[in-house]
Amino acid sequence: MKIAIGNDHTALEMKNEMKKFLEEKGYEVIDYGTNSTESCDYPVYGEKVGNAVANGEADLGLAICGTVGISLACNKVKGIRCCVCSEPYTAKLSRMHNDSNVLAFGARVIGVEMAKMITEEWLNAEYEGGRHQRRVDQVMDIERRNQNAL
């Protein structure tokens, strides 16, 4: 499985730790983030992760910034369902019920060990479909209806 990872300057250290964590678990990690601590703009990297997942270059995505901003950029990419999670339970249910395809968290909000727990729960969870599919379809329909909105 390929996982796209992206980050801004505030999350460089966490990105590097998460990349190592994922690779040790056997995932192929495609790095779309900055490798500098010099101030940069999180939307650039959120869009890169979103596009990689939406275009099939990666199966799932991980987006990390200081708090939540990178998730907003990810969710502007058609087909992306990015959830910001600060604890494992929400991450697990975001996959099981919402079919999230990008996970985001803030390096200023949680520590690396919590990020690992959240990511592991998210990756181990599977979308349940069934009664949840109607709601996921509704979310994606909102996206389609508003695709060309000004």
Side-chain angles (χ1 to χ4, degrees), residues 36-80:
S36 171
T37 56
E38 186 173 322
S39 183
C40 63
D41 300 320
Y42 61 78
V44 171
Y45 303 102
E47 182 179 19
K48 287 180 180 187
V49 169
N51 281 333
V53 173
N55 296 334
E57 296 168 25
D59 301 298
L60 297 170
L62 182 60
I64 316 167
C65 67
T67 55
V68 300
I70 199 167
S71 70
L72 302 175
C74 288
N75 277 320
K76 294 297 181 183
V77 176
K78 185 177 182 186
I80 296 304

Side-chain angles (χ1 to χ4, degrees), residues 6-93:
N7 62 288
D8 69 1
H9 60 285
T10 65
L12 177 59
E13 185 178 328
M14 183 175 280
K15 185 266 306 251
N16 289 335
E17 290 287 331
M18 294 308 296
K19 186 175 175 181
K20 179 181 172 188
F21 172 75
L22 292 168
E23 289 171 342
E24 287 174 353
K25 294 205 166 285
Y27 295 100
E28 181 180 340
V29 179
I30 308 167
D31 189 344
Y32 293 96
T34 185
N35 287 307
S36 171
T37 56
E38 186 173 322
S39 183
C40 63
D41 300 320
Y42 61 78
V44 171
Y45 303 102
E47 182 179 19
K48 287 180 180 187
V49 169
N51 281 333
V53 173
N55 296 334
E57 296 168 25
D59 301 298
L60 297 170
L62 182 60
I64 316 167
C65 67
T67 55
V68 300
I70 199 167
S71 70
L72 302 175
C74 288
N75 277 320
K76 294 297 181 183
V77 176
K78 185 177 182 186
I80 296 304
R81 291 173 304 281
C82 178
C83 292
V84 178
C85 300
S86 297
E87 42 71 34
Y89 184 71
T90 302
K92 178 179 177 178
L93 291 185

